[in-house]
Amino acid sequence: MRKRLLFTSAAVAALCLTLLGGCGSGDDNNAAQEETSYWENQQYDTFSGSDFVEISESGGMKLLLNPASGTVRWLDTATGVYRDSNMGYTEGFMANDVQKSDVVARYFSGTKNNGMTYYATAAYDSYSMGASRGQVAYQKIDNGVRVIFTLGTTDITYKNFPASLTDERFNELVLQYLDASDKELATKKYYNRLADGTWARMSNANNPLQGLAVKQLYKIFYETGHYTEEDLFADLEEAGVSGDEYPSSLMIHVPIDYYLEDGCLMVRVDTSLVESGKDNPINQLTLNPYFMVSDPALDEEEGYMFVPDGSGALLYLDSKKVREGHYGARYYGGDPQMDATSYRSADADMMLPVFGMKTHDATVFGIIEKGAEAATLDAYISGTYASEPFSKLQLTFDIQSQFLLSSGAENAKGAFTLGKASDDVYDGDIVIRYYWLGKDADYVDMANCYSKYLEERGVLKAETDEAEAPFYVEVLGSTDKTKYFAGIPYEGTQVLTDFDQAKTILEELSESGVKNMKVIYSGMVNGGMNQRSLKSGVKIVSGLGGKSGLKKLNSYADSIGAQIFPNVLLQTAYTKTKMNNEMAAWNLLNERAQIYTFDPVQLQAETGEDADYPQYIINPYYLDKYWTKVKKSYTGKTGLTTMASGDLYTFIGTNYRYDHASSSTGAELMETAAAKLADGMTLMLSNPASPAYAYSSYLTDIPGDDSGVRVLDASIPFMQIVLDGYKTYSSESLNRESTDVYAHFMQAIEGKSVPKFTFMYEDSYLLEGTEQEDFFAVDYSYWKDKVGAYYQEYSAFYDKVKDATIVGHEVYDRNEKLRIVTYSNGVKIYFNYSDLEEKIDGVTVSAFSYVIQ
């Protein structure tokens, strides 16, 4: 049986190699193993020569191709500076196989159970498994070229023989059938018997089998012996080898389109045309892993990598933080169900689909036009990844997501986990746009480039700054709290600020000079701060003052130029009872998906009885139906068309039961539903993913710095520079957890963010024993005599820059605590976040202060 499998695979592969230089076969969403490959009958174009040939020219940039390797070169015609799609032609650098590759395809390499559980993954790189074997072909496309890599080999290697097997199996399946000569070869040359009686293979990646040895060992196991492919996979599983150590005759096709558009380098993969074996679907694609790299010839290169972490962050190319690991994060926060119960010390969320690198000779800025919701960005400083002498940025896209789950059982080697994959496969385009910004450009130019990009696509619209300095005020309405009657506990509602008290707050703030208030009323509906489902309609929490009280509050707000934005949760809901099957999102364990809180001491997720009010995720397939009901009920109950949402577009919902929805499908479903919700509504969203900018009029909770991941060197207000001149946006709440707010107030001014404060009218001791007990600095009584001064200071700054935009930002002398911001009208602001007086570019600035010039 095994001999037939081996030679049949080899024959099919040989035919494919003749037709194309290799062919593959699709998974269930592509071509099946038995079907003809799409690529087998395609027409291909020939490019000759071993040097680079010109493909196209646009916007002062040229696109070149090396026909021998499939390497693409993007060249600036003015300076001659270029970037290659891999490092195979880097002068003076001996690149390894992956460094010479344009793509790394990770696929499911083991057996599967019930169509979804895979025991291992393995990877092919496009050089060692493709280009170096001549398995690359080309098709001309508009202003560019499609490079088709065929990855795979039918070669017999050490992987075709068990890494280890018991003495009993070795004798039963192999040794008993051998003559003395072959038995000696098997037991003396190729396998070594260990002290416990196990036979261990002597060959591996560092000591591979060569020529005659392959033929001898193949004959011993599969021709003379009775060993089979099934026996091999059983022994590999028992030995616990990694997926990369499994043999495969699999052939994979990956087409990559490179073309120029207004000088930009466009990289596109139509994933519906990616083919792999039906039993080996693609797990991930890493595209051009060595395109965004620093110069390996320079030990101390100036420059940085930009990542959109928090407000934005830099990693210096000459950083010495090699012990801090690397930076890695999913765009838009990633799948909320992945590692949901694992504690993270820092939430490295990226809400903008961008990245960039400034080196000594050029600045390159990338935008993920399609596929960001499925993407991971990794940033490595020099010396941190396999001791590579350069820094790099790397993008990986999930094609079929897999989760590692505890098996709940143990084998001889102890506890183990299983991988379980979604059946929702990404089959759309992956598109990355690269801008060549030139040698002197910096992260401000990157931000302006992205602003213009969004404006050209209608996502952002240039707006005139408001005449009066705006101010964001969050009011806490109510929450759940355990109360007692005759010593018997019961679940009750704790009113924190009713409508009359909210009106009093606005009156007093107005009297102190605060104008143009954007009022976010949290905890107003359906259970308050731990908001329940809105499926049965929006209901104002009892005790706040009812619809008439809200009407009076809104009428007063109108009279002083303020706006009321009741805050609702639209992607999640709290409930003590489980959400119903239709509404709930499900994980791969057939459990309702949740957003978990963590015990602050043990750092473990609070599940089951530990969580007083579990926060469930709403199924993305249900959002359109749900939000249509919510919108109708909300406008009817509140009489308002203004709405804030603390969770809309803060993550992309997924579902893994019934109809699966991975992040890519979830993004499509949410975009459709959000467009309908926004029609006729004025929405305020809390630090949403950038696609939501098209559906929101106001933004809040824009972070003032990065996530605090230790490998990051400096936070920058990149997000604020993108939004400046397009949206009214606020900082995160300055006072929720601290009364020491001035440094955060300075950060708001640095990024031209509107300050935001959170208040409750009643005493904050009432929050003890509630889910909001960490909001210990929100007593309005403490802040009422201080807020006016903060507003007046902010208003003075605002009046100087309201008709200008940020055109320059500098982390002065690479000191994270010293900054300079320059505006288009010539205003400069010098920030000193240190506890000592500092001189910044000749300007003396007191500790924790700033100077406007």
Side-chain angles (χ1 to χ4, degrees):
M1 179 67 175
R2 173 56 182 159
K3 296 176 192 175
R4 183 178 179 184
L5 284 171
L6 281 174
F7 288 120
T8 299
S9 297
V12 171
L15 174 61
C16 292
L17 288 169
T18 301
L19 292 168
L20 176 60
C23 77
S25 47
D27 57 24
D28 292 339
N29 292 306
N30 299 310
Q33 180 79 23
E34 294 79 8
E35 295 177 351
T36 302
S37 166
Y38 168 85
W39 299 106
E40 185 175 327
N41 298 315
Q42 288 289 296
Q43 296 296 315
Y44 299 96
D45 296 298
T46 301
F47 296 90
S48 60
S50 58
D51 203 354
F52 285 88
V53 296
E54 184 175 333
I55 299 297
S56 61
E57 184 172 1
S58 169
M61 304 298 293
K62 283 186 177 181
L63 191 66
L64 309 175
L65 170 71
N66 187 290
S69 64
T71 303
V72 168
R73 176 167 291 175
W74 186 34
L75 182 144
D76 179 10
T77 59
T79 64
V81 178
Y82 59 83
R83 292 291 183 266
D84 285 350
S85 59
N86 61 65
M87 296 186 71
Y89 297 89
T90 301
E91 187 175 348
F93 180 74
M94 296 296 292
N96 62 34
D97 290 345
V98 180
Q99 291 164 352
K100 296 177 183 178
S101 296
D102 279 37
V103 63
V104 176
R106 181 159 294 278
Y107 61 92
F108 293 109
S109 60
T111 56
K112 61 183 181 179
N113 178 34
N114 295 329
M116 65 179 79
T117 301
Y118 301 87
Y119 293 105
T121 61
Y124 284 166
D125 68 79
S126 64
Y127 180 77
S128 68
M129 302 300 284
S132 67
R133 302 170 183 272
Q135 298 170 185
V136 58
Y138 307 102
Q139 292 177 332
K140 293 179 181 178
I141 60 175
D142 289 345
N143 224 24
V145 61
R146 171 171 288 174
V147 183
I148 304 103
F149 291 101
T150 297
L151 317 180
T153 176
T154 59
D155 295 346
I156 304 299
T157 70
Y158 71 89
K159 297 179 182 180
N160 293 90
F161 308 99
S164 65
L165 71 171
T166 64
D167 183 63
E168 180 181 3
R169 281 179 64 78
F170 203 11
N171 278 288
E172 176 188 353
L173 299 173
V174 180
L175 297 182
Q176 67 166 315
Y177 302 104
L178 305 182
D179 59 25
S181 175
D182 284 346
K183 184 176 292 187
E184 184 172 2
L185 280 174
T187 59
K188 298 293 179 62
K189 185 176 181 180
Y190 298 124
Y191 278 81
N192 179 43
R193 190 172 187 180
L194 305 180
D196 63 358
T198 301
W199 291 90
R201 187 187 63 212
M202 297 184 192
S203 58
N204 52 42
N206 297 320
N207 180 32
L209 294 171
Q210 303 290 336
L212 178 61
V214 174
K215 295 179 181 179
Q216 287 178 336
L217 200 53
Y218 183 83
K219 174 177 176 291
I220 286 170
F221 269 80
Y222 295 103
E223 294 181 347
T224 305
H226 287 193
Y227 202 72
T228 68
E229 184 182 50
E230 289 77 12
D231 294 323
L232 173 64
F233 276 81
D235 287 330
L236 291 174
E237 183 181 341
E238 177 63 26
V241 304
S242 68
D244 290 324
E245 292 295 297
Y246 276 67
S248 177
S249 58
L250 173 68
M251 309 299 283
I252 298 174
H253 288 309
V254 183
I256 307 178
D257 296 348
Y258 297 98
Y259 57 99
L260 295 181
E261 188 174 286
D262 298 325
C264 295
L265 173 64
M266 307 297 297
V267 180
R268 178 179 63 204
V269 176
D270 180 349
T271 63
S272 69
L273 298 180
V274 175
E275 294 183 355
S276 65
K278 65 185 179 69
D279 292 326
N280 300 101
I282 298 295
N283 171 220
Q284 294 176 328
L285 292 176
T286 301
L287 291 181
N288 304 116
Y290 289 88
F291 175 63
M292 296 282 277
V293 297
S294 63
D295 191 337
L298 299 177
D299 292 334
E300 297 288 337
E301 182 172 14
E302 292 186 2
Y304 47 77
M305 294 179 285
F306 158 70
V307 296
D309 176 277
S311 63
L314 305 179
L315 298 89
Y316 295 129
L317 299 184
D318 59 358
S319 172
K320 300 295 188 258
K321 296 181 178 180
V322 293
R323 294 185 179 180
E324 307 295 348
H326 86 288
Y327 178 85
R330 296 285 303 271
Y331 284 97
Y332 309 153
D335 187 337
Q337 299 200 44
M338 186 172 289
D339 300 324
T341 58
S342 298
Y343 176 79
R344 295 182 297 174
S345 58
D347 291 325
D349 290 343
M350 305 185 298
M351 307 310 282
L352 305 179
V354 296
F355 56 98
M357 179 179 285
K358 178 177 176 60
T359 60
H360 72 284
D361 59 357
T363 299
V364 176
F365 177 58
I367 300 173
I368 306 174
E369 289 194 344
K370 294 183 180 180
E373 68 279 355
T376 298
L377 177 68
D378 291 292
Y380 298 90
I381 60 172
S382 179
T384 56
Y385 184 83
S387 300
E388 290 177 336
F390 51 82
S391 301
K392 69 175 181 180
L393 287 167
Q394 177 176 292
L395 284 174
T396 299
F397 295 84
D398 281 352
I399 305 302
Q400 187 170 4
S401 300
Q402 176 169 247
F403 297 76
L404 295 179
L405 307 171
S406 173
S407 67
E410 294 188 357
N411 59 14
K413 295 180 174 57
F416 63 97
T417 58
L418 294 176
K420 199 170 186 182
S422 165
D423 64 12
D424 182 19
V425 178
Y426 186 90
D427 60 0
D429 283 351
I430 293 170
V431 180
I432 309 167
R433 178 185 294 268
Y434 291 99
Y435 287 87
W436 188 276
L437 298 182
K439 179 180 179 179
D440 297 326
D442 59 13
Y443 54 81
V444 175
D445 296 294
M446 295 183 195
N448 290 333
C449 179
Y450 189 49
S451 296
K452 183 178 179 182
Y453 172 88
L454 293 177
E455 183 179 5
E456 289 173 347
R457 285 152 183 79
V459 177
L460 288 179
K461 181 180 179 181
E463 296 179 0
T464 302
D465 284 331
E466 301 186 39
E468 297 283 358
F471 199 69
Y472 279 57
V473 176
E474 180 184 21
V475 175
L476 305 184
S478 67
T479 190
D480 297 289
K481 187 170 185 178
T482 301
K483 296 185 176 182
Y484 296 87
F485 178 76
I488 301 173
Y490 69 96
E491 296 301 319
T493 298
Q494 178 65 62
V495 173
L496 309 175
T497 310
D498 64 27
F499 294 142
D500 285 340
Q501 292 168 334
K503 181 173 177 290
T504 298
I505 291 175
L506 296 189
E507 287 173 341
E508 293 178 353
L509 291 179
S510 180
E511 290 170 0
S512 68
V514 181
K515 302 177 181 179
N516 196 9
M517 285 180 275
K518 318 296 181 186
V519 183
I520 306 167
Y521 211 125
S522 299
M524 179 191 290
V525 303
N526 295 60
M529 299 290 287
N530 308 316
Q531 182 200 296
R532 315 302 197 265
S533 163
L534 304 174
K535 182 180 179 180
S536 299
V538 172
K539 302 178 180 66
I540 296 174
V541 173
S542 176
L544 293 182
K547 187 174 182 178
S548 61
L550 176 59
K551 185 176 181 180
K552 291 177 182 178
L553 173 63
N554 188 58
S555 178
Y556 177 75
D558 285 342
S559 72
I560 60 170
Q563 292 174 284
I564 305 294
F565 293 84
N567 195 4
V568 298
L569 299 179
L570 294 170
Q571 286 188 252
T572 62
Y574 291 85
T575 177
K576 275 187 171 294
T577 59
K578 293 180 178 179
M579 193 177 289
N580 70 52
N581 290 5
E582 180 190 22
M583 188 174 185
W586 296 78
N587 63 28
L588 281 170
L589 290 175
N590 287 330
E591 299 171 337
R592 291 168 177 82
Q594 295 182 43
I595 303 292
Y596 292 95
T597 56
F598 291 83
D599 182 280
V601 178
Q602 298 183 351
L603 305 182
Q604 294 180 344
E606 296 179 339
T607 60
E609 296 180 357
D610 295 331
D612 290 334
Y613 294 94
Q615 186 178 8
Y616 290 98
I617 300 173
I618 296 170
N619 192 326
Y621 283 108
Y622 189 74
L623 291 180
D624 192 6
K625 178 180 178 180
Y626 183 54
W627 291 352
T628 298
K629 290 181 178 179
V630 169
K631 180 178 178 179
K632 182 178 180 180
S633 176
Y634 175 88
T635 54
K637 182 64 69 173
T638 66
L640 300 174
T641 57
T642 53
M643 176 194 291
S645 178
D647 68 349
L648 178 59
Y649 256 112
T650 58
F651 64 88
I652 305 297
T654 56
N655 182 61
Y656 299 111
R657 187 181 178 189
Y658 309 118
D659 291 330
H660 284 207
S662 64
S663 295
S664 55
T665 299
E668 294 174 3
L669 294 168
M670 187 150 64
E671 184 174 2
T672 299
K676 293 181 181 179
L677 175 69
D679 185 24
M681 298 290 289
T682 301
L683 298 182
M684 177 188 289
L685 302 184
S686 174
N687 190 25
S690 60
Y693 294 168
Y695 310 115
S696 56
S697 301
Y698 298 95
L699 299 173
T700 186
D701 297 323
I702 303 301
D705 54 14
D706 60 44
S707 63
V709 175
R710 288 185 295 179
V711 74
L712 300 175
D713 290 305
S715 66
I716 57 173
F718 184 92
M719 185 179 291
Q720 288 87 339
I721 298 172
V722 170
L723 295 170
D724 183 21
Y726 295 95
K727 294 284 185 184
T728 300
Y729 55 93
S730 86
S731 66
E732 296 173 297
S733 182
L734 301 182
N735 68 310
R736 268 193 179 186
E737 299 176 11
S738 175
T739 57
D740 185 13
V741 304
Y742 196 72
H744 296 297
F745 178 77
M746 286 173 56
Q747 284 181 333
I749 291 179
E750 182 188 347
K752 204 182 174 185
S753 297
V754 181
K756 175 185 176 183
F757 281 80
T758 299
F759 302 131
M760 56 178 284
Y761 194 85
E762 301 289 352
D763 291 335
S764 61
Y765 77 83
L766 294 174
L767 296 176
E768 293 180 11
T770 73
E771 296 291 299
Q772 292 74 40
E773 62 184 357
D774 57 340
F775 292 12
F776 51 77
V778 295
D779 294 73
Y780 171 67
S781 60
Y782 176 85
W783 294 103
K784 60 184 286 187
D785 296 327
K786 301 177 177 65
V787 173
Y790 278 107
Y791 179 77
Q792 295 307 321
E793 182 175 342
Y794 172 72
S795 183
F797 151 76
Y798 184 81
D799 286 342
K800 292 181 182 294
V801 300
K802 66 180 179 181
D803 296 322
T805 56
I806 298 172
V807 295
H809 184 277
E810 179 184 355
V811 180
Y812 183 69
D813 201 24
R814 293 201 352 182
N815 184 334
E816 168 77 348
K817 295 184 178 181
L818 309 179
R819 279 115 187 292
I820 306 173
V821 181
T822 304
Y823 283 84
S824 56
N825 62 357
V827 171
K828 276 195 172 184
I829 310 180
Y830 301 83
F831 292 87
N832 177 13
Y833 291 94
S834 76
D835 55 4
L836 297 173
E837 180 180 277
E838 298 281 357
K839 184 161 287 190
I840 307 174
D841 199 23
V843 177
T844 301
V845 186
S846 301
F848 290 107
S849 184
Y850 61 92
V851 171
I852 302 178
Q853 289 192 342

